[in-house]
């Protein structure tokens, strides 16, 4: 249902309520004072209802709303003194508005008081018990209709807002997951690289063989870190506990920490194994960063049910509780997430102990779509109760009208009427109004036929048009049939009910009442069923929308990881390989390269934090200098021509810096270039960047399948620009990006 259709339905239903009252005013006698006075009151009621109480976004707890509610009470009850019979349907507006405006239980007390008051007023004019019950039910049902039609559009808007908040929450959770993985995986790798580079630099020229071993391990860690970048960007990475034990042994030995390791545990599930490996990795990382330990013992033990890890060192750590520092907080989250526990404390003897215990086989992860769904959510339950209450209320009102015709129907006729009403309620609640029920054309025809039998057979057999609820057929047709056919059927049923009233001998007022009653019943059923369906659809779609938001966030992280860390780790790998070759022939140059590796690794650590927190603004000047130094280190003759770019917008500079970084990374990875030219040209309307090299690519460089070029194309395209990459006619490879600038 569109928002416009919802307002049309609400307006028509309310207009029918008001029009029905006006017909009764005319039936009681036409005088100018009665006509003008009644129209003034009815239009005022309609205005207050549509413009104050039913308007989405209206502040219904304001003084204006309370003042409007007081005015509504006067418009509903004062005219009863002048139009006692005609005004009996108006208290429903006040009852529904009271539910909207008043707080807590007070509103339901007022709601019930309005129904009883209406019955008390009619007690002065009617003696028939069935008719008296009808007038008690009228404000109950019409009040719920007014409340429901006014409340549900706002409720749908609230659900849309909640849906967005849920998606944002999912994004926040995804950011936390990425931050944990970045910290746990890459933080360890980059810390190990930094440590080993410092050690290798000290060993250059003195212990060449030891320095070569350290460089080999640096290369291994850097290549593994590149794999970690891809793993974190795509999904959760399953760590190897055995590999982490060996890596920890090597890193601690390089740091001069005497280490003993006991590793004896049975078969573990992948989740438990990964959590223990993460605890080990984070524990060793914290030891290296925050303590001056000289000795460390690591013990991993367990049985078929529980496994524990203890990391004890004699240093004085900077973190002493799980409540301080992101590393230990992340570990506590991971361990408790699979039913384990984690503690960290300093002992009286000056040792520091990190202890974690996890189940060998944790319980399966709860599917994301099932979390927090114990019982129906309040909006869905509210919509279900509202539809049920209104449908049953209409049924009870129809039953009271049947009892009013007791002399005509007799006991058997009353029984037939009640059975037909009960059958209609069952069909509507069981099949027509349920959003999850999808009927075939044959079953749709059967349902509509059964409803027609329940309505029209008793009416014509007993000669009373008040038996049954023909509006339910109209509303069901609009709900079950294709849109055009449904509304045609709706109009046919509504008009047909006027014919039925006329054929069965009712006067013009009752004919009009029959048409309006059928129209209202049908529109109310249609509106509440569709709005209930919308609430249900929104509820079912929330995980899909959250997943879409998470996917978008994952793509952003993947781009940043690839652009930032991929470059840094490639540079570390390249320079480490160069240092490995220079170590025996040019120790001074090797030491200089290691100093640059150390700077890059420290910058990469900063990049880890920036990617986990938000987007990092790259510096085009810094990237130009870095690219020139890196290409020179790779023995590539580089020429750089860069126009002044201080006046470029920030997003353009960042994108160009990313293009430069990715272009140089690809050149180093995928070509054997000897010469490279980097050109940036800027004009008032356009800025272009070209990265040209003479390398022979080892892959189809014109392909757009690689993530690097694809990411760049996305970034440049977001600014209205274009990017091309491929071989040129003079046997060079050219990466060209151009971005338009505002006038």
């Amino acid at each position: 249902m569109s928002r416009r259709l919802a307002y049309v339905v609400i307006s028509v239903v309310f207009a029918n309520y008001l029009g029905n009252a006006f017909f009764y005013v005319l039936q009681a006698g036409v005088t100018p004072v009665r006509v003008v006075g009644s129209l003034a009151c009815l239009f005022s009621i309609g205005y207050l209802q549509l413009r104050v109480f039913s308007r989405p976004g209206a502040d219904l707890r304001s003084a204006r709303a309370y003042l409007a509610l007081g005015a509504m009470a006067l418009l509903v009850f004062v005219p009863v003194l002048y139009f006692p019979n005609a005004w009996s349907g108006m208290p429903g507006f006040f009852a529904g508005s009271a539910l909207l405006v008043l707080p807590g239980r007070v509103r339901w007390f007022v709601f019930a008081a309005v129904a009883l008051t209406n019955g008390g007023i009619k007690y002065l004019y009617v003696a028939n018990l069935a008719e008296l019950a009808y007038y008690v039910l009228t404000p109950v049902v019409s009040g719920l209709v007014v409340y429901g039609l006014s409340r549900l559009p706002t409720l749908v808007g609230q659900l849309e807002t909640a849906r967005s908040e849920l998606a944002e929450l999912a994004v926040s959770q995804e950011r936390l997951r990425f931050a944990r993985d970045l910290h746990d995986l890459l933080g360890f790798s980059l810390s190990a690289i930094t440590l080993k580079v410092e050690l290798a630099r000290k060993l250059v020229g003195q212990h060449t063989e030891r320095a070569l071993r350290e460089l080999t391990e640096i290369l291994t860690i850097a290549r593994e870190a590149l794999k970690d970048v891809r793993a974190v960007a795509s999904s959760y990475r399953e760590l190897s506990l055995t590999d982490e034990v060996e890596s920890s042994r090597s890193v601690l030995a390089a740091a001069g920490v005497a280490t003993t390791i006991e590793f004896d545990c049975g078969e573990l599930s992948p989740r438990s194994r990964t959590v223990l490996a993460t605890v080990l990795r984070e524990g060793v990382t914290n030891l290296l960063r925050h303590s001056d330990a000289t000795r460390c013992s690591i013990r991993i033990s367990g049985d078929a049910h529980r496994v524990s890890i203890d990391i004890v060192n004699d240093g004085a750590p900077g973190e002493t509780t799980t409540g301080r520092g992101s590393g230990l907080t992340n570990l506590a989250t991971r361990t408790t997430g699979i039913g384990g526990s984690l503690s960290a404390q300093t002992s009286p003897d000056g040792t520091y102990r990190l202890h974690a215990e996890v189940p060998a086989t944790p319980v399966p992860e709860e599917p994301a779509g099932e979390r927090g769904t114990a019982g129906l959510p309040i909006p869905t339950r509210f919509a279900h109760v509202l539809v049920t209450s209104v449908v049953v209320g209409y049924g009870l009102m129809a039953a009271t009208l049947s009892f009013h015709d007791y002399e005509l129907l007799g006991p058997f006729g009353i029984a037939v009427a009640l059975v037909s009403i009960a059958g209609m309620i069952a069909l509507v609640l069981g099949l027509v109004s349920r959003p999850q029920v999808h009927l075939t054309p044959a079953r749709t025809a059967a349902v509509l036929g059964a409803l027609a039998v329940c309505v029209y057979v008793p009416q014509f057999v007993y000669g009373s048009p008040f038996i049954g609820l023909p509006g339910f057929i109209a509303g069901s047709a609009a709900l079950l049939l294709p849109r055009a056919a449904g509304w045609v059927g709706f109009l046919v049923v509504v008009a047909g009910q006027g014919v039925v009233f006329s054929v069965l001998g009712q006067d013009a007022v009752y004919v009009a009442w029959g048409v309006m009653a059928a129209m209202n019943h049908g529109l109310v059923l249609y509106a509440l069923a569709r709005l209930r369906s919308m609430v249900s659809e929104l509820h079912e779609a929330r995980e899909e929308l959250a997943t879409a938001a998470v996917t978008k966030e994952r793509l952003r992280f993947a781009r940043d990881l690839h652009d930032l860390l991929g470059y840094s780790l490639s540079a570390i790998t390249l320079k480490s390989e160069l240092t490995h070759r220079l170590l025996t022939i040019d120790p001074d140059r090797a030491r200089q390269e290691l100093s640059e590796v150390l700077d890059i690794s420290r910058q990469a650590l900063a990049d880890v934090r920036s990617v986990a927190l938000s987007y990092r603004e790259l510096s085009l000047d810094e990237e130009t200098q870095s690219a020139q130094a890196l290409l020179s280190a790779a023995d590539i003759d580089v020429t750089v021509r860069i126009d002044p770019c201080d006046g470029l917008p920030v997003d353009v500079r960042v994108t160009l810096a990313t293009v430069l970084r990715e272009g140089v990374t690809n050149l180093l990875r995928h070509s054997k270039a000897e010469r490279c030219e980097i050109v940036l040209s800027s004009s008032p309307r356009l800025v272009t960047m070209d990265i040209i090299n003479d390398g022979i690519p080892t892959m189809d460089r014109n392909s757009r399948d690689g993530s690097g070029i694809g990411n760049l194309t996305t970034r440049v395209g977001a600014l209205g620009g274009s990017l091309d990459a491929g071989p040129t006619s003079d046997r060079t490879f050219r990466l060209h990006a151009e971005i338009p600038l505002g006038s």
Side-chain angles (χ1 to χ4, degrees), residues 384 386-392 423-434 437 472 525 532:
H384 173 71
L386 186 62
V387 171
T388 302
S389 300
V390 170
V391 170
V392 172
M424 283 186 288
I425 292 174
L427 288 170
V428 168
L429 294 180
L431 296 174
V432 175
S433 66
R434 295 180 64 184
V437 174
F472 281 5
L525 174 61
R532 175 188 175 187

Side-chain angles (χ1 to χ4, degrees), residues 47-207:
Y47 176 84
L48 289 175
Q49 193 61 58
L50 290 174
R51 300 299 299 168
V52 178
F53 303 117
S54 301
R55 184 168 59 87
D59 183 5
L60 297 180
R61 293 292 185 269
S62 63
R64 179 172 181 266
Y66 283 103
L67 184 63
L69 186 64
M72 179 71 82
L74 295 175
L75 291 168
V76 162
F77 290 109
V78 171
V80 171
L81 300 174
Y82 305 96
F83 318 112
N85 292 323
W87 228 249
S88 57
M90 294 300 98
F93 283 103
F94 177 72
S97 300
L99 290 180
L100 291 166
V101 174
L102 298 177
R105 296 179 180 178
V106 174
R107 57 181 178 173
W108 293 107
F109 175 80
V110 172
F111 183 83
V114 171
L116 294 175
T117 300
N118 198 53
I121 293 172
K122 299 306 294 185
Y123 181 76
L124 302 175
Y125 301 95
V126 300
N128 187 299
L129 188 60
E131 189 174 359
L132 188 62
Y134 177 86
Y135 286 117
V136 172
L137 285 171
T138 296
V140 172
V141 176
S142 59
L144 289 175
V145 169
V146 168
Y147 174 70
L149 295 185
S150 301
R151 181 73 179 88
L152 277 176
T154 301
L155 185 61
V156 170
Q158 291 174 347
L159 279 174
E160 290 175 345
T161 302
R163 175 183 66 179
S164 299
E165 292 175 353
L166 179 65
E168 291 174 4
L169 176 61
V171 168
S172 299
Q173 292 172 340
E174 185 71 6
R175 287 183 176 180
L176 288 174
R177 187 187 76 82
F178 268 99
R180 287 200 305 265
D181 287 351
L182 283 167
H183 185 280
D184 298 342
L185 295 173
L186 301 179
F188 177 86
S189 298
L190 293 170
S191 296
I193 288 172
T194 303
L195 177 68
K196 286 182 173 291
V197 169
E198 290 176 341
L199 177 60
R201 190 172 59 172
K202 294 177 183 177
L203 294 171
V204 171
Q206 300 177 8
H207 302 282

Side-chain angles (χ1 to χ4, degrees), residues 604-637:
L605 270 172
D607 286 345
V608 167
R609 300 186 184 98
S610 67
V611 171
L613 295 175
S614 62
Y615 186 80
R616 177 178 181 266
E617 182 180 319
L618 298 180
S619 167
L620 183 56
D621 292 337
E622 291 179 4
E623 290 305 315
T624 302
Q625 296 172 8
S626 176
Q628 193 167 7
L630 192 58
L631 291 169
S632 297
D635 293 326
I636 296 174
D637 183 16

Side-chain angles (χ1 to χ4, degrees), residues 366-377 539 542-543:
E366 184 181 356
E370 296 177 5
R371 290 175 185 156
T373 56
L376 291 172
H539 172 64
R542 63 181 185 172
E543 283 300 328

Side-chain angles (χ1 to χ4, degrees), residues 172-245:
S172 299
Q173 292 172 340
E174 185 71 6
R175 287 183 176 180
L176 288 174
R177 187 187 76 82
F178 268 99
R180 287 200 305 265
D181 287 351
L182 283 167
H183 185 280
D184 298 342
L185 295 173
L186 301 179
F188 177 86
S189 298
L190 293 170
S191 296
I193 288 172
T194 303
L195 177 68
K196 286 182 173 291
V197 169
E198 290 176 341
L199 177 60
R201 190 172 59 172
K202 294 177 183 177
L203 294 171
V204 171
Q206 300 177 8
H207 302 282
T208 303
E209 292 298 324
R210 176 79 183 280
L212 285 171
R213 288 199 301 272
E214 294 299 332
L215 281 170
T216 300
E217 292 190 16
I218 290 170
L219 283 168
T220 301
I221 295 171
R223 288 164 181 156
E224 183 65 27
L226 269 172
K227 294 180 182 178
D228 288 346
V229 167
R230 300 186 185 100
V232 172
S234 59
S235 61
Y236 188 81
R237 179 181 184 269
E238 182 182 315
L239 296 181
S240 166
L241 184 56
T242 302
D243 290 347
E244 289 305 316
V245 169

Side-chain angles (χ1 to χ4, degrees), residues 479-529:
L479 288 167
L480 299 180
L481 296 176
R483 178 171 296 182
W487 287 110
V488 169
F490 180 94
L491 294 175
V492 168
V493 172
V494 170
Q497 191 59 25
V499 175
V500 170
F501 268 79
S502 179
V503 169
L504 295 179
Q506 300 297 320
D507 60 25
V509 172
Y510 279 108
V511 170
W513 180 88
V515 170
M516 287 189 292
M519 182 181 295
N520 261 24
H521 293 169
L523 288 176
V524 168
L525 174 61
Y526 174 81
L528 295 186

Side-chain angles (χ1 to χ4, degrees), residues 593-673:
E593 293 296 332
L594 284 174
S595 296
E596 293 186 14
V597 171
L598 190 60
D599 291 339
I600 294 171
S601 62
R602 287 169 177 163
Q603 181 59 52
L605 270 172
D607 286 345
V608 167
R609 300 186 184 98
S610 67
V611 171
L613 295 175
S614 62
Y615 186 80
R616 177 178 181 266
E617 182 180 319
L618 298 180
S619 167
L620 183 56
D621 292 337
E622 291 179 4
E623 290 305 315
T624 302
Q625 296 172 8
S626 176
Q628 193 167 7
L630 192 58
L631 291 169
S632 297
D635 293 326
I636 296 174
D637 183 16
V638 59
T639 302
V640 178
R641 296 198 301 272
I642 303 291
D643 286 350
C645 56
D646 293 340
L648 295 178
V650 173
D651 53 352
V652 174
R653 291 202 305 270
V654 170
T655 300
L656 290 173
T658 305
V659 170
L660 177 58
R661 171 172 280 204
E662 180 60 31
V664 172
T665 300
N666 281 350
L667 186 157
L668 295 172
R669 287 179 181 173
H670 305 304
S671 81
K672 298 179 181 178

